[in-house]
Amino acid sequence: MSLLTLDNVTIRFGGLTAVDTVNLEVKQGEILALIGPNGAGKSTVFNLITSIYQPTEGKISLDGKALTGIPTHKIADMGITRTFQTIRLFPELSVLDNVKIGAHCRGKAGLLQAFTRLPSMKREEAEMEENAIKALEFLDLDAKKEDMAKNLSYGEQRRLEIARALVSKPKILLLDEPAAGMNPQEKVVLMEMIRRIRDTGITIFLVEHDMKLVMGISERIAVLDYGKLIAEGTPLEVRSNKAVIEAYLGSGKFKSRIRR
Amino acid sequence: MKKLLDNWLVQFLLFLCVLGLTAFITDAIGDVLPPYLLMIGLFIGINLIMALGLNLITGVTGQLSLGHAAFMSIGAYASAIATVNYHVPFLGGVLIGGLVACLFGIVIGFPTLRLTGDYLAIATLGFAEIVRVQFTNMKITNGAIGFLGIQGSTTFPIVMTIAVITIILMVWLENSRNGRAMLAIREDEIASSAVGINTTLYKIQAFAIGAFCAGVGGALFAHTTTFIQPTDFGFMKSVDILSIVVLGGLGSIPGTVIGAIVLTAAPEILRPLANYRMMVYGVLLVIIMIFRPYGLLGGVNLRKAVRRAFMLTKKKQAGREE
Amino acid sequence: MPILNNLMQQLVNGLALGGIYALIALGYTMVYGIIGMINFAYGEIFMFGAYAGLVLALTNYVNVYTALLGATLITMILGVVIERVAYKPIRRSSRLSALISAIGVSIFLSSFMVRVKGPNTRGFPTLFENRIFEIGNFQITIYQIVIIGVAGLMMLGLHLFVTYTKMGRAMRACAQDKDAASLMGVNIDRVISVTFAIGSGLAGTAGVLAGIYFNAVQPYMGLLAGLKAFAAAVLGGIGSIPGAMIGGIVIGLTEILGITVNLSEYKDAFAFAILILVLLFKPSGIMGRKANKKV
């Protein structure tokens, strides 16, 4: 069953077509990886899904509900959260606060509750804290909950970003190069973690460069090159796909070098 | 005991006790303090209320505003018109001052908060200049000549009680869902909207509350000096309030308190320097920024520091017992 | 055609005023472009320039050129000293602390001038005879010609400097990426000093021109002029040199226009009203590049 659907999605920046008529379905409960050479438009796809960019043409929908035209801040509430290619935490806040803010869309308290501190608000706060600590435990960060986010190591910061995205219990989690900058051991731990997240019922859609990781955990892989989807299939299928090999290694012909 | 403290009613009563105590103590202090010192204390309180509002906008939410004096002047004039022309009681006038300023904060906030960083700063500065020129040319404010005959109803206990209320509400706000959303916007706007924070909404909330505080401060100011004129609320007034916030430590409530005390008292303490006073004041600002670029209490987590000090004494005691 | 003549007349007046704003705005925009800081003390440097010109003019030995040159040199040195003392130590901290430091400097400078020269407005000695030329029905004074001429020449000079010299190229590189420029062997400290020197010199020149034009010098004259020039810089798109020139002239013209339509009580509000209006439709100013949302 398709959870997230990209239907003929195109975006142009001036003369550049960054994403070109992409059709893609993310199925409920799967781990799907989007790969492609640098500048292929992978992160742009994520930015389109989270409404940071609006597609020039085409439609994106989650569970049949259209996402196009919806402001970014409502996307999380609909069940899509993400991490960023360059880590975007709230650096001067504590680890716990970072995760609590991640659950913002699940809270209801407004100004009145903040100023009156009625029991209902305190219950919500307690629940939020409990969920946040659970998310931190899940990603093995609970020991650091009082630290400032900026003082964490690189790998920990990546994990904190995932914890922040998980705490609102999304339907689908978008991971933008989660393994970037990690050492081999950390990557193994990360793979394990991604699988465990999926096992809790959250669909995973990730962009990644590290082929070992991608081939290791993805059930399906989609390949983007110059904004176009050139292949889609199981890791095995994609690995032997001619177009993919050409995109990554070049066809050896002069033509492909000057495609730009 | 802990459970009892968690009870809402108990907390509410505690809150009232704190206010009552503040009023009582400040009233007693007011009886012994010489009028000159009392006046300084009063201005510390007024500046603190306004600075706490700006701290929410600039320190917590990260939106640089250079026009806080505009909201102060709106509050001052609105309350003065209410009490003098319409015979509204003093505290009602203060409330009106806050509300009118808040309203302007929202109206101005909607279009301008789309701007970021320095563009927002200059837009708020421009707004403040426009407000000042407008007040200079209005009949009801008596233009450049100034608004006369305001009752001197502001007292030390009233100012201090309002200041304490503001502090408590600000602490509560900072530890709520709304407050965290505002902090998140300061830290990273794109990440904030990715986790579902409506950045415009919370910026406007911060702006509205900040403007309300400035309006209340302005109203108290008007009913202290009994005479206000547009030049009281120029760019330098906005700068005064901003300096309190930055000097105390952006986003830090205790820092803002210290900043308000230091910067309100400094020109008075420097008074013996006579003609050199403002020169020294300027140099002082530069020096503090060089040695404490994040403000006097910037980067200091007070709760953590207190806890650490507490642990240390505990450890020492334990060591001694051994 | 009285309307046309009147319009021409206001255009000339607006250009002269705008030229002064544009000169100050250039300083704001250059410093902002390079270290991303709002140097609020520029208004006071402008005031300092006016006083330097005044003092020089009162010595009786100087003509208008030496007064201009002298004031420019004095403010250049002042600008560099301010940067070294008050801004360099906090270059790596938050921009707000730099802003407060700049405000401290401007409070110091204006109160220093009050202390030394008194708080009162002073007239400017006549450095050269003002003459009025009548062209058709509108008039242009020599003062206006000088202001427009000097402002124009300085802007042209600045443009040539930034575009064609090695230092200019280093400045543009720093504006793009300071760290990268530094790795390529650009001496950042020197670039910043030169930027401050040029910006302050321009403000100082503007000060003397304003002193001559309005025949009035006053310790607090820098505040409003500085704010309006800052508005001009932002209006044009802060960081952009042509933007600052356009912004300055737009602000000058609007102000004169406001006076012409009999709203002179509101003249100080016009600059800011125009600024806010432009920003609402073009959030990064007229010539400002649209900041790309990088994710």
Side-chain angles (χ1 to χ4, degrees):
Chain A
M1 197 197 98
S2 154
L3 180 63
L4 179 74
T5 315
L6 277 77
D7 183 13
N8 278 315
V9 172
T10 300
I11 184 167
R12 292 187 199 97
F13 299 110
L16 177 82
T17 308
V19 172
D20 195 354
T21 47
V22 165
N23 284 296
L24 188 65
E25 288 191 348
V26 186
K27 294 185 185 119
Q28 171 71 47
E30 73 172 338
I31 299 179
L32 171 69
L34 182 63
I35 63 169
N38 278 327
K42 303 181 298 289
S43 285
T44 310
V45 169
F46 275 16
N47 289 339
L48 283 164
I49 295 171
T50 49
S51 254
I52 289 174
Y53 299 146
Q54 290 299 323
T56 319
E57 281 159 38
K59 273 192 305 215
I60 303 172
S61 56
L62 179 78
D63 259 347
K65 272 175 281 179
L67 293 180
T68 13
I70 284 179
T72 305
H73 64 86
K74 289 204 175 132
I75 298 287
D77 191 33
M78 294 184 73
I80 302 178
T81 54
R82 69 174 293 181
T83 66
F84 294 89
Q85 188 178 346
T86 46
I87 299 175
R88 279 180 174 271
L89 289 168
F90 306 121
E92 304 264 345
L93 303 182
S94 75
V95 167
L96 185 63
D97 275 345
N98 265 273
V99 183
K100 274 190 188 169
I101 292 167
H104 180 87
C105 61
R106 297 285 168 255
K108 287 191 187 66
L111 271 186
L112 197 69
Q113 279 80 0
F115 287 140
T116 53
R117 298 179 82 75
L118 288 170
S120 65
M121 179 260 190
K122 287 213 181 126
R123 259 199 309 277
E124 187 184 300
E125 279 287 302
E127 198 181 316
M128 211 175 243
E129 176 136 354
E130 198 181 315
N131 283 336
I133 288 178
K134 264 190 213 152
L136 284 173
E137 278 167 356
F138 192 81
L139 285 143
D140 199 18
L141 280 169
D142 46 321
K144 304 242 170 183
K145 66 177 184 199
E146 297 290 336
D147 288 21
M148 252 196 220
K150 67 172 180 189
N151 295 335
L152 295 186
S153 76
Y154 191 78
E156 287 168 341
Q157 292 197 4
R158 284 251 174 241
R159 283 194 336 251
L160 177 56
E161 231 192 347
I162 297 176
R164 185 181 68 187
L166 272 185
V167 72
S168 64
K169 306 205 167 80
K171 291 177 186 156
I172 180 166
L173 174 64
L174 311 179
L175 299 172
D176 199 345
E177 297 197 21
M182 283 190 175
N183 64 35
Q185 283 136 307
E186 285 175 320
K187 279 179 191 167
V188 173
V189 177
L190 179 74
M191 277 166 81
E192 190 47 46
M193 244 165 215
I194 293 175
R195 267 197 213 102
R196 268 169 52 212
I197 294 169
R198 196 272 307 270
D199 292 344
T200 64
I202 295 170
T203 306
I204 307 270
F205 185 16
L206 76 154
V207 160
E208 186 50 69
H209 271 301
D210 188 282
M211 281 308 141
K212 223 166 137 188
L213 186 130
V214 168
M215 296 297 166
I217 59 168
S218 327
E219 284 140 4
R220 282 198 313 134
I221 295 174
V223 189
L224 209 58
D225 189 28
Y226 292 104
K228 281 203 169 82
L229 206 61
I230 55 168
E232 202 186 328
T234 62
L236 221 71
E237 288 166 5
V238 165
R239 205 186 295 193
S240 51
N241 185 304
K242 226 177 142 196
V244 176
I245 296 168
E246 205 170 290
Y248 269 91
L249 302 174
S251 62
K253 289 179 199 150
F254 184 61
K255 189 177 94 198
S256 71
R257 296 246 155 249
I258 53 161
R259 256 187 298 187
R260 223 177 259 268
Chain B
M1 182 67 188
K2 208 178 168 200
K3 211 166 179 193
L4 190 71
L5 275 177
D6 258 357
N7 187 301
W8 187 80
L9 198 69
V10 174
Q11 280 185 347
F12 185 69
L13 290 176
L14 220 64
F15 176 66
L16 290 184
C17 282
V18 169
L19 294 191
L21 214 65
T22 313
F24 178 74
I25 293 174
T26 46
D27 195 38
I29 293 175
D31 286 339
V32 276
L33 232 51
Y36 171 66
L37 286 182
L38 201 63
M39 204 47 143
I40 297 175
L42 212 140
F43 279 115
I44 289 177
I46 293 176
N47 282 342
L48 175 59
I49 294 166
M50 295 193 291
L52 283 169
L54 185 63
N55 182 50
L56 187 69
I57 298 173
T58 305
V60 175
T61 318
Q63 308 300 308
L64 178 54
S65 163
L66 290 177
H68 216 53
F71 298 119
M72 178 191 178
S73 68
I74 291 170
Y77 277 111
S79 70
I81 290 166
T83 56
V84 174
N85 297 12
Y86 297 97
H87 309 292
V88 176
F90 166 58
L91 283 178
V94 172
L95 190 66
I96 289 175
L99 287 176
V100 175
C102 175
L103 196 74
F104 270 88
I106 295 169
V107 172
I108 300 305
F110 262 107
T112 49
L113 284 174
R114 290 191 323 153
L115 304 170
T116 49
D118 303 313
Y119 290 98
L120 176 68
I122 183 74
T124 51
L125 190 162
F127 161 69
E129 283 300 306
I130 293 169
V131 167
R132 191 178 56 82
V133 172
Q134 182 61 37
F135 278 139
T136 315
N137 293 299
M138 270 166 85
K139 250 208 180 113
I140 195 160
T141 60
N142 208 16
I145 303 157
F147 197 109
L148 286 146
I150 309 166
Q151 286 276 315
S153 323
T154 310
T155 63
F156 188 54
I158 290 180
V159 170
M160 281 303 153
T161 311
I162 296 180
V164 169
I165 295 178
T166 316
I167 292 176
I168 294 176
L169 291 184
M170 285 292 172
V171 172
W172 284 353
L173 178 62
E174 235 175 77
N175 291 299
S176 72
R177 176 171 173 265
N178 289 55
R180 280 194 302 268
M182 289 169 188
L183 284 165
I185 291 170
R186 175 188 80 189
E187 295 290 304
D188 192 323
E189 259 194 82
I190 289 179
S192 300
S193 44
V195 297
I197 292 168
N198 181 349
T199 51
T200 317
L201 174 75
Y202 289 103
K203 280 190 208 168
I204 288 186
Q205 277 187 4
F207 225 65
I209 298 170
F212 182 84
C213 293
V216 168
L220 293 171
F221 175 82
H223 290 82
T224 306
T225 56
T226 69
F227 166 67
I228 48 174
Q229 60 190 126
T231 45
D232 290 341
F233 311 104
F235 174 63
M236 285 321 282
K237 192 77 205 178
S238 297
V239 164
D240 283 347
I241 309 171
L242 184 66
S243 319
I244 291 176
V245 176
V246 177
L247 198 110
L250 277 170
S252 158
I253 292 174
T256 308
V257 175
I258 291 178
I261 296 172
V262 170
L263 283 193
T264 314
E268 303 301 328
I269 294 168
L270 298 176
R271 208 168 270 283
L273 297 173
N275 291 325
Y276 295 96
R277 184 169 69 116
M278 286 319 278
M279 282 164 70
V280 175
Y281 180 75
V283 173
L284 213 63
L285 280 184
V286 176
I287 291 177
I288 296 178
M289 280 300 112
I290 289 176
F291 290 102
R292 298 285 305 168
Y294 294 100
L296 292 171
L297 284 187
V300 178
N301 187 338
L302 221 61
R303 216 178 287 169
K304 233 180 174 177
V306 168
R307 202 181 302 158
R308 199 175 300 148
F310 184 68
M311 297 279 262
L312 248 134
T313 46
K314 236 182 175 175
K315 257 187 207 157
K316 261 187 201 158
Q317 272 176 358
R320 232 174 272 147
E321 273 161 26
E322 273 170 28
Chain C
M1 289 266 277
I3 295 173
L4 192 70
N5 277 325
N6 193 19
L7 202 70
M8 278 302 287
Q9 182 67 58
Q10 300 318 331
L11 205 65
V12 170
N13 294 347
L15 269 180
L17 187 62
I20 293 174
Y21 288 146
L23 283 180
I24 315 174
L26 282 170
Y28 275 113
T29 227
M30 286 172 66
V31 167
Y32 188 89
I34 296 208
I35 54 175
M37 165 198 174
I38 306 171
N39 181 10
F40 253 111
Y42 262 131
E44 272 61 40
I45 292 176
F46 160 80
M47 175 275 293
F48 228 87
Y51 270 96
L54 176 74
V55 171
L56 286 171
L58 285 175
T59 54
N60 280 332
Y61 298 113
V62 293
N63 60 19
V64 60
Y65 304 107
T66 35
L68 268 173
L69 206 67
T72 307
L73 278 176
I74 290 172
T75 46
M76 279 173 108
I77 296 167
L78 180 70
V80 174
V81 170
I82 290 174
E83 195 272 326
R84 280 290 142 108
V85 175
Y87 304 154
K88 198 179 169 204
I90 41 177
R91 209 183 281 157
R92 295 248 161 227
S93 15
S94 90
R95 296 213 326 248
L96 263 181
S97 30
L99 183 70
I100 298 292
S101 188
I103 287 166
V105 170
S106 67
I107 293 175
F108 173 80
L109 288 179
S110 52
S111 47
F112 171 81
M113 208 43 99
V114 171
R115 180 79 199 97
V116 178
K117 290 276 159 197
N120 298 329
T121 306
R122 298 242 191 145
F124 215 85
T126 332
L127 284 172
F128 57 95
E129 205 57 50
N130 196 9
R131 290 214 336 249
I132 300 171
F133 295 99
E134 303 240 355
I135 306 169
N137 266 337
F138 79 91
Q139 312 169 326
I140 184 164
T141 64
I142 285 213
Y143 287 176
Q144 287 173 328
I145 295 175
V146 168
I147 288 174
I148 297 171
V150 171
L153 271 179
M154 295 204 96
M155 290 181 210
L156 183 70
L158 180 67
H159 174 75
L160 294 176
F161 177 79
V162 171
T163 322
Y164 295 109
T165 65
K166 199 174 162 202
M167 189 36 118
R169 197 182 324 127
M171 285 166 92
R172 281 181 290 137
C174 283
Q176 298 281 324
D177 188 332
K178 265 208 305 279
D179 294 328
S182 158
L183 287 171
M184 296 299 120
V186 173
N187 183 342
I188 303 289
D189 285 341
R190 249 189 63 210
V191 170
I192 292 175
S193 287
V194 171
T195 310
F196 269 88
I198 294 177
S200 308
L202 294 172
T205 315
V208 182
L209 293 176
I212 298 173
Y213 191 43
F214 299 113
N215 189 23
V217 180
Q218 200 251 356
Y220 296 113
M221 68 192 278
L223 181 62
L224 207 56
L227 291 184
K228 284 183 195 166
F230 179 41
V234 175
L235 179 69
I238 195 151
S240 149
I241 288 178
M245 302 181 198
I246 294 171
I249 289 164
V250 169
I251 297 262
L253 283 173
T254 1
E255 207 173 307
I256 296 292
L257 197 75
I259 297 170
T260 333
V261 295
N262 248 338
L263 282 170
S264 52
E265 314 89 62
Y266 287 93
K267 91 177 160 69
D268 289 338
F270 272 107
F272 299 107
I274 279 285
L275 171 81
I276 291 176
L277 272 179
V278 169
L279 285 186
L280 289 185
F281 293 104
K282 222 166 166 307
S284 43
I286 298 172
M287 304 285 285
R289 262 171 300 159
K290 198 176 166 229
N292 229 341
K293 249 205 285 190
K294 261 200 197 131
V295 183

